[in-house]
Amino acid sequence: MPAPRSYFEDVELHGVVQTPALTLTEAHVALYTGLSQDVLPEPGLVPELLPLCLTTGLGWRIDNPPLAVLAFMGFEWEVLLPVRVGDTIHSRSRTAVKRSMREGGVIVEERQVINQRGDVVHRGRFTFLVAKRPS
């Protein structure tokens, strides 16, 4: 039996989704730098792309089934503040655009990564082509 999915019709325009939080550890940084060969700017700082990667993974921990994404069409991303080992982050996403097409639709999601103090440390927009529910 295929895994449950959310479809274009299930996405609520201006709907907000918040992920659970995750506290960043040295192990997260070591795994990431081991795979990416990214160089740390200074000890205790988290590589700039790691929160972006983790926010995507945290999206799998929400109650809704994952979107039936047909294509990842692009993203814009901005690093606002440094993230450090020991910070606890979560993400909040809002559906900013929902445009229907023949067999799917375009979803633009505005996403923020927020630390334990409530500071938005990263933000950006993801654009997906999402399948419509099979008939």
Side-chain angles (χ1 to χ4, degrees), residues 25-55:
T25 67
E26 290 286 351
H28 293 111
V29 173
L31 285 169
Y32 176 81
T33 56
L35 288 170
S36 68
Q37 297 299 303
D38 200 354
V39 178
L40 295 176
E42 67 179 69
L45 280 183
V46 170
E48 285 189 342
L49 288 181
L50 181 55
L52 168 64
C53 298
L54 290 172
T55 187

Side-chain angles (χ1 to χ4, degrees), residues 25-122:
T25 67
E26 290 286 351
H28 293 111
V29 173
L31 285 169
Y32 176 81
T33 56
L35 288 170
S36 68
Q37 297 299 303
D38 200 354
V39 178
L40 295 176
E42 67 179 69
L45 280 183
V46 170
E48 285 189 342
L49 288 181
L50 181 55
L52 168 64
C53 298
L54 290 172
T55 187
T56 303
L58 287 172
W60 287 86
R61 294 185 177 181
I62 63 171
D63 291 336
N64 301 346
L67 281 175
V69 174
L70 299 172
F72 181 66
M73 298 172 68
F75 74 100
E76 302 163 29
W77 199 250
E78 186 177 11
V79 176
L80 303 172
L81 295 169
V83 178
R84 300 188 175 282
V85 170
D87 282 352
T88 300
I89 62 168
H90 70 277
S91 73
R92 182 177 18 218
S93 301
R94 182 181 78 85
T95 303
V97 174
K98 182 178 178 184
R99 186 173 60 243
S100 183
M101 298 171 72
R102 187 179 309 185
E103 295 181 22
V106 174
I107 300 291
V108 178
E109 178 185 280
E110 294 176 341
R111 187 176 297 182
Q112 298 175 323
V113 178
I114 302 160
N115 68 14
Q116 70 276 10
R117 291 178 293 282
D119 301 325
V120 176
V121 293
H122 290 207

